[in-house]
Amino acid sequence: MIFLKKMLHSILNSSCLSADVPHLELAEPDEGYHGLIRENETLVEVTPAIRARGPLCSFLILNNKHHGEAPFEIMVIDENEARLRVRYPLNCEKRRNYKFDIAAVGCDGSYSNTVPVHITVTDVNEFAPVFSQAAYVRSVDEGKIYDEIVRVEATDRDCTPHYGDVCKYEIVTDRNQPFTIDNEGVIRNTEPLDYDKSHNHILSVVAYDCGMMQSAPVMVTIKVNKPCRAGWKGVAERVDYAPGSGPLALFPAARLEACSSDERCPGVTRVQALVSLQAARAGAPAACDRDTYALHAQRTVCGLDPKTVDLLPSPGEGNEWAKSLKPDAGHDGEEMFEFDGETTSAVVPESVLGHSLGSTFSVSTWMRHAPWPDQDKHRKEHILCLADDHKMNRHHYALFVRNCRLILLLRRDFGEGDLNIFRPAEWRWKIPEVCDNEWHHYAINIRFPSVELFVDGEPYRSLDGKGPEVIDDWPLHPAHGINTTLVVGACWQGAEGGMKHHLRGALAGLGVLAAAGQPAPALRCAARCREGLSLAPDLYLKSVSVEGDSASEVETLVRRVAYGDARAFPTPGRRNVHLATTITCDNGRVVRARAAEAFVMVLQPQTPSVLLNGSGDVAQDYAHFRAGLQVFPDLTVRVVASRHAQLQDAESQKLDSCVVSVYPALNPDHEALALRGGAELPASDVRAALTRDGVSLSGADSVHNYQRVLREIEYSNKKPAYYLNRVFKLTCSELNGRFTSNEYVQTLTVIHPRTASSGESTHALRPSGLADKLDAIARDKMHSGEGADAADAALAATAPRVFAAHAQRNSHSAELPAARLLDLRAEHEHTGSNHVALVIGAVSCGALLTLVALGTVRARAARAARPRARARPAPPARPLPARDPEMAWDDSALTITVNPMDEQAAPECGRTADSSDADSCSDSDSDRNDSEDDDDAEPMPGKQHKYRNISQLEWDNSTM
């Protein structure tokens, strides 16, 4: 553009004295033209009018690089005047000003001087004001005059102040309302409000722009508070919490209105406030790691004994005995089981858990339980029960609930101690958590006669300091031929032939550990809540209670109550917070303040990405497939944070499952998957399950350990010749499937041996076993470097070999071999040359020229020898030499037409006993055959000849 302007100026300067050059008529060329156009118009009002002198043919618009392309065009009205118009409608809200240059163009191609044009788009009042909120709600106390109750605000999208500014607000509802509004949108009351007359005042407010275009009305609701009711003010209804941000104060501006001026409560002596956090969702434990890890993974994370037997597994393959249970999957995959108190139960096979637990074992479970509606205090509800099938209905051991007590029954067998001695047999704990219809974790470590209960990870201590109520009993009496039944959720009654004492509630993570107890730190970790309310760092509580002698003291403590979540990936969603307050007055009157309700909205955490990477294809020969090869030899597993796209510390990240699938399923006759390090590698909590469909890895463990186990997966195939390749798909997940990886595909390709040609070494045609041995000997010689023998061994080792089972060779075949390309380079040179096509082309051309020359020479020699053959006396007939029966050719149906002139010499061959003549005859036959193959030899009809040695028809392509 700059170059074009300079060129125009140079042209104008060089021809300024010529009368044939057009010139724009403008008094002040530097100021240029100024134009106005409305948004909905097409013609621009330009001042002054665009005129030019001289021979004028058109006008040229030169766009300004700083202002972009100008959407205008110039129309020539007459030979000296032009009009400016737009090519498409303009929008003032998008762009108000345009600037460009114009020049007049003469009919001879000359240009006038350039003059700038300034265009301004004028606004049209096309938008009405819009309020910033859909509705306004405010609360005021009765009996007061407010300078400002609420301020409404509206904006206009028009581009100029005349139409884009809001100049007026108006209340369009009943004029008798005691409210007024000014031009700034401030609403105030004109008289004190009375709660008895009206609890709420609803106003309709509109806004006008300076062009007096009216907006849609907005509703303003003003609530009148009831006089002096104790409660909290300044409590935000919603608090947003970002994961990983640490503790967040819930009520930083909370203020308690105690109504101390009320005559009914002249003074305050005690204030108590209770802040409680509700469950994240109905029917689930509030917080704890169950929101992120499955129970079996949680046991691994917390260090519970890995021998713990899960009695509430997911119903499915291998757990058919649990199909009668009713699982309720939560948001993150953990399974809870509902028990209806009437029919729900499951019989545990003895193969899953032995019925005899001995005197040392541990039972742990999550439970949510509420009392029956009929308030029957004698109803027994069994969590776990072992009973025999005898008509006596004897219970050997059981854990059940009765009258809001958690009871452990442990009867000694008749062979355990003296039958005449009382021993402890039943432990009863009276704890309120059993019947509060909330989730709690219970664990009992039994080391008979010592029994210890843990509630929510802490050793249980009653308020009065006393231990559980212990009931002594006799051992069980001897009985023969009795079978026992272990049931979850009920108890088997042998006399009645059915289940009884069903549980009404919910269980999760019921586990039994035989011959050992669970460590206390592991139980504390399993039940520890890392989400909750706190007044100090690393302290997470379900509720916080504060009290003080005055409202100000309680306000200070409540403002310090914070919500925190120490988990890296908490479950996003709503957490309800309830604030209840009790005020004790000087006169002894107790006032309950209005409860304050709020909720914490846990935002979506920073989502990690699990990335799997490695080589997508591995090619190996038969030997490697038979011996077994790694499926993922160079697999890498990484965890990437999506927000900043940075790699996180692999040691701090965990995976809980990986699945390797293969389709179609493996053939167990000759295919297998295995782990090189055994079923489970040392120092790893990863559990492996190998099936025909692939490998399933589970257990919460580090990314490093998962990567190590995956690299040890080995695939073997005893019959690799049946396959071209095998495809394996791998996916991994973190936090019980919440975050999944990409699908990584690994292909194992079988390298099949190449078919050997006639020019290859004879060892390639030997059976595969012998050929393998010869290859090994050749490689040993090549590496040892024994002179010429080493060179021969290297050549033999590098030559392609064909197994006998795959070679199809027939020296008597009449079909010409298919054309093929021979790689003349050494094996070590395959990657270093880029002239393969050139070498092959040169060799092929040379071979073709050689064959043509040879055929021409043989044809001429044959023509010269034919007269001599006719004049020569016929030698005596002699029998043909004996032929190998395997080389015999069946010529019963093979007829070939030959030249009759050549047939005259044929009978003479073989008639003399002279060997030299026989050799010359053989040569002539060969020459004749060559000439017959020549295109110049034209056969005559009616003559036929049968060949006895068809091998002469084969094409010798060993030199190609």
Side-chain angles (χ1 to χ4, degrees):
M1 186 61 65
I2 296 175
F3 174 79
L4 181 59
K5 287 184 177 181
K6 290 182 178 180
M7 182 182 68
L8 290 175
H9 283 292
S10 62
I11 294 174
L12 293 174
N13 293 332
S14 62
S15 60
C16 62
L17 299 178
S18 176
D20 296 332
V21 177
H23 183 73
L24 292 173
E25 296 182 352
L26 192 63
E28 298 292 336
D30 295 336
E31 293 184 4
Y33 296 98
H34 294 270
L36 294 176
I37 182 172
R38 297 170 63 87
E39 288 181 303
N40 55 358
E41 294 180 350
T42 57
L43 291 177
V44 183
E45 298 179 4
V46 180
T47 303
I50 303 176
R51 291 187 177 88
R53 292 181 302 173
L56 176 65
C57 280
S58 63
F59 288 85
L60 178 66
I61 295 179
L62 304 176
N63 295 319
N64 192 310
K65 68 174 183 178
H66 299 291
H67 295 268
E69 182 181 359
F72 300 91
E73 59 184 6
I74 299 179
M75 302 180 301
V76 180
I77 298 176
D78 54 25
E79 59 182 18
N80 292 322
E81 187 175 354
R83 291 284 183 88
L84 186 66
R85 69 176 181 182
V86 295
R87 295 199 300 267
Y88 52 83
L90 303 179
N91 191 337
C92 175
E93 285 71 33
K94 292 184 177 179
R95 184 172 178 181
R96 292 190 60 188
N97 298 293
Y98 295 87
K99 182 180 178 181
F100 54 91
D101 297 331
I102 64 172
V105 182
C107 296
D108 58 350
S110 59
Y111 293 85
S112 72
N113 56 319
T114 60
V115 177
V117 180
H118 304 273
I119 304 298
T120 301
V121 182
T122 60
D123 190 18
V124 175
N125 195 3
E126 54 185 338
F127 296 103
V130 177
F131 285 93
S132 59
Q133 298 184 24
Y136 296 85
V137 179
R138 293 294 184 273
S139 298
V140 296
D141 295 333
E142 71 171 3
K144 294 183 179 180
I145 299 294
Y146 292 87
D147 294 332
E148 179 178 332
I149 296 177
V150 61
R151 180 188 294 266
V152 297
E153 183 180 8
T155 57
D156 197 311
R157 291 174 55 192
D158 289 307
C159 62
T160 60
H162 183 66
Y163 298 122
D165 291 346
V166 177
C167 293
K168 179 182 176 182
Y169 294 90
E170 183 181 5
I171 299 175
V172 296
T173 51
D174 188 5
R175 302 292 181 179
N176 296 326
Q177 291 276 13
F179 300 95
T180 183
I181 187 171
D182 59 15
N183 291 338
E184 300 299 324
V186 177
I187 298 177
R188 59 176 60 91
N189 58 328
T190 57
E191 62 184 47
L193 304 179
D194 190 350
Y195 179 85
D196 295 333
K197 289 183 179 181
S198 178
H199 298 173
N200 296 312
H201 296 270
I202 300 177
L203 308 178
S204 180
V205 179
V206 295
Y208 297 88
D209 60 17
C210 297
M212 290 297 108
M213 179 176 284
Q214 180 180 314
S215 70
V218 65
M219 304 305 296
V220 179
T221 303
I222 299 176
K223 298 181 179 181
V224 181
N225 295 330
K226 196 173 182 177
C228 195
R229 183 178 178 184
W232 289 92
K233 295 184 179 181
V235 175
E237 182 181 2
R238 168 173 172 163
V239 178
D240 290 337
Y241 180 80
S245 59
L248 175 65
L250 297 176
F251 316 109
R255 181 171 57 87
L256 178 60
E257 182 63 49
C259 292
S260 57
S261 59
D262 193 339
E263 59 183 11
R264 293 174 300 178
C265 185
V268 176
T269 59
R270 201 69 178 166
V271 180
Q272 295 175 321
L274 177 65
V275 184
S276 57
L277 181 68
Q278 307 294 326
R281 59 182 183 271
C288 302
D289 281 345
R290 296 184 67 249
D291 285 345
T292 53
Y293 284 106
L295 290 174
H296 67 85
Q298 180 186 340
R299 294 187 181 121
T300 302
V301 172
C302 291
L304 294 174
D305 197 307
K307 297 180 181 179
T308 303
V309 179
D310 189 3
L311 299 186
L312 289 177
S314 300
E317 184 178 357
N319 299 322
E320 289 78 9
W321 59 273
K323 63 181 180 180
S324 61
L325 300 177
K326 301 176 181 178
D328 178 19
H331 287 266
D332 306 310
E334 76 274 15
E335 289 190 343
M336 302 168 288
F337 295 83
E338 294 287 341
F339 294 83
D340 58 10
E342 297 179 357
T343 60
T344 310
S345 63
V347 178
V348 182
E350 194 166 2
S351 60
V352 175
L353 178 65
H355 290 179
S356 178
L357 297 179
S359 60
T360 301
F361 62 95
S362 178
V363 181
S364 59
T365 184
W366 285 90
M367 183 177 68
R368 177 173 56 85
H369 177 264
W372 275 81
D374 57 10
Q375 300 295 327
D376 184 2
K377 297 182 179 180
H378 301 287
R379 186 188 299 270
K380 297 174 65 177
E381 301 175 63
H382 277 82
I383 301 171
L384 186 66
C385 177
L386 179 70
D388 57 37
D389 59 356
H390 198 269
K391 293 183 179 181
M392 298 173 61
N393 293 333
R394 298 187 305 178
H395 296 180
H396 293 248
Y397 59 80
L399 180 63
F400 59 93
V401 175
R402 184 176 185 179
N403 193 19
C404 290
R405 287 175 169 82
L406 185 65
I407 302 175
L408 172 68
L409 173 68
L410 185 59
R411 299 289 302 276
R412 288 177 297 146
D413 199 4
F414 63 89
E416 299 177 358
D418 193 345
L419 297 178
N420 299 319
I421 299 178
F422 261 20
R423 299 290 294 273
E426 192 171 309
W427 290 260
R428 302 175 179 176
W429 291 273
K430 176 66 174 179
I431 50 180
E433 288 83 354
V434 172
C435 290
D436 64 359
N437 200 26
E438 296 287 345
W439 282 98
H440 296 281
H441 187 266
Y442 305 91
I444 303 177
N445 283 338
I446 299 100
R447 295 179 177 85
F448 189 84
S450 174
V451 176
E452 188 176 12
L453 171 67
F454 293 83
V455 178
D456 293 332
E458 299 296 333
Y460 176 73
R461 298 290 183 268
S462 61
L463 297 177
D464 56 7
K466 297 180 180 179
E469 181 183 359
V470 180
I471 308 299
D472 296 337
D473 201 351
W474 306 100
L476 295 173
H477 292 283
H480 301 283
I482 294 179
N483 295 321
T484 54
T485 302
L486 181 62
V487 182
V488 175
C491 197
W492 173 259
Q493 295 296 105
E496 302 175 11
M499 299 293 178
K500 197 175 179 180
H501 309 307
H502 288 82
L503 173 67
R504 182 176 179 269
L507 296 177
L510 176 60
V512 176
L513 174 62
Q518 298 287 7
L523 294 174
R524 187 177 298 107
C525 171
R528 181 182 60 187
C529 290
R530 303 180 65 190
E531 173 190 22
L533 305 175
S534 66
L535 290 173
D538 299 329
L539 178 63
Y540 304 96
L541 304 173
K542 187 177 180 181
S543 61
V544 174
S545 178
V546 298
E547 61 179 70
D549 296 335
S550 64
S552 60
E553 293 180 1
V554 176
E555 287 177 359
T556 302
L557 295 175
V558 169
R559 291 172 183 174
R560 292 176 54 190
V561 176
Y563 168 84
D565 197 325
R567 295 171 297 171
F569 308 104
T571 305
R574 175 170 175 159
R575 274 65 160 170
N576 296 325
V577 180
H578 181 78
L579 174 58
T581 308
T582 301
I583 302 174
T584 304
C585 302
D586 290 340
N587 55 9
R589 184 171 178 264
V590 177
V591 179
R592 296 188 178 276
R594 288 175 300 172
E597 302 290 343
F599 67 91
V600 179
M601 181 59 67
V602 178
L603 305 179
Q604 184 72 30
Q606 178 182 339
T607 304
S609 299
V610 182
L611 301 181
L612 307 178
N613 195 11
S615 61
D617 195 356
V618 175
Q620 295 292 349
D621 56 11
Y622 288 176
H624 288 84
F625 275 88
R626 291 192 182 101
L629 67 158
Q630 292 174 274
V631 179
F632 309 105
D634 56 353
L635 175 70
T636 59
V637 184
R638 299 184 301 170
V639 177
V640 179
S642 62
R643 181 179 301 176
H644 303 293
Q646 295 178 352
L647 293 179
Q648 298 182 359
D649 186 6
E651 296 297 331
S652 63
Q653 297 299 319
K654 292 182 179 294
L655 296 178
D656 51 19
S657 69
C658 285
V659 177
V660 180
S661 58
V662 56
Y663 181 83
L666 300 179
N667 189 334
D669 177 59
H670 52 270
E671 289 184 290
L673 285 172
L675 290 178
R676 291 193 173 188
E680 291 190 13
L681 297 180
S684 174
D685 293 322
V686 180
R687 297 178 296 176
L690 291 84
T691 64
R692 293 179 54 193
D693 297 322
V695 181
S696 177
L697 304 179
S698 61
D701 208 333
S702 65
V703 171
H704 173 74
N705 285 344
Y706 263 93
Q707 176 178 288
R708 185 180 61 174
V709 175
L710 288 170
R711 288 183 177 181
E712 294 300 323
I713 296 177
E714 183 180 82
Y715 168 75
S716 60
N717 191 335
K718 302 305 180 184
K719 299 178 180 180
Y722 294 172
Y723 296 83
L724 295 177
N725 55 47
R726 261 305 195 179
V727 179
F728 298 85
K729 294 182 180 180
L730 169 65
T731 57
C732 294
S733 68
E734 183 182 5
L735 299 181
N736 201 21
R738 289 179 62 186
F739 311 115
T740 57
S741 70
N742 58 303
E743 186 181 77
Y744 174 69
V745 178
Q746 180 78 20
T747 303
L748 302 183
T749 303
V750 182
I751 301 178
H752 294 275
R754 294 177 297 177
T755 304
S757 63
S758 59
E760 293 175 350
S761 58
T762 58
H763 84 283
L765 301 178
R766 294 168 180 163
S768 59
L770 179 57
D772 290 339
K773 295 178 181 179
L774 293 176
D775 289 346
I777 295 173
R779 285 192 296 269
D780 293 341
K781 290 182 177 182
M782 178 180 62
H783 292 302
S784 61
E786 298 177 358
D789 293 338
D792 295 339
L795 180 61
T798 57
R801 174 170 54 84
V802 177
F803 294 100
H806 301 286
Q808 297 181 356
R809 298 175 57 83
N810 188 353
S811 60
H812 306 286
S813 175
E815 297 180 359
L816 296 179
R820 62 191 182 93
L821 299 178
L822 295 181
D823 194 349
L824 302 180
R825 298 170 297 168
E827 183 175 355
H828 65 277
E829 297 175 348
H830 284 340
T831 60
S833 176
N834 294 324
H835 305 287
V836 176
L838 181 61
V839 173
I840 293 177
V843 173
S844 300
C845 293
L848 181 60
L849 294 176
T850 304
L851 290 175
V852 172
L854 182 61
T856 303
V857 172
R858 287 187 176 184
R860 293 178 178 177
R863 292 192 184 97
R866 285 188 190 114
R868 291 192 303 271
R870 294 191 188 98
R872 188 171 52 193
R878 69 175 183 178
L880 295 174
R883 201 179 296 272
D884 189 355
E886 292 184 359
M887 302 294 288
W889 177 260
D890 185 7
D891 58 356
S892 59
L894 178 62
T895 59
I896 300 177
T897 303
V898 300
N899 193 332
M901 298 181 64
D902 296 338
E903 189 180 14
Q904 300 298 330
E908 299 177 2
C909 296
R911 294 179 181 177
T912 179
D914 191 359
S915 61
S916 61
D917 294 340
D919 294 339
S920 62
C921 182
S922 176
D923 293 339
S924 63
D925 290 341
S926 176
D927 294 340
R928 184 178 67 251
N929 290 336
D930 291 339
S931 65
E932 289 172 355
D933 289 339
D934 195 350
D935 292 339
D936 296 335
E938 181 180 358
M940 296 182 64
K943 300 297 181 178
Q944 296 181 351
H945 177 75
K946 298 182 179 179
Y947 280 95
R948 302 302 299 175
N949 189 359
I950 200 67
S951 61
Q952 295 180 2
L953 294 177
E954 293 182 351
W955 183 272
D956 186 5
N957 62 348
S958 59
T959 61
M960 291 292 291

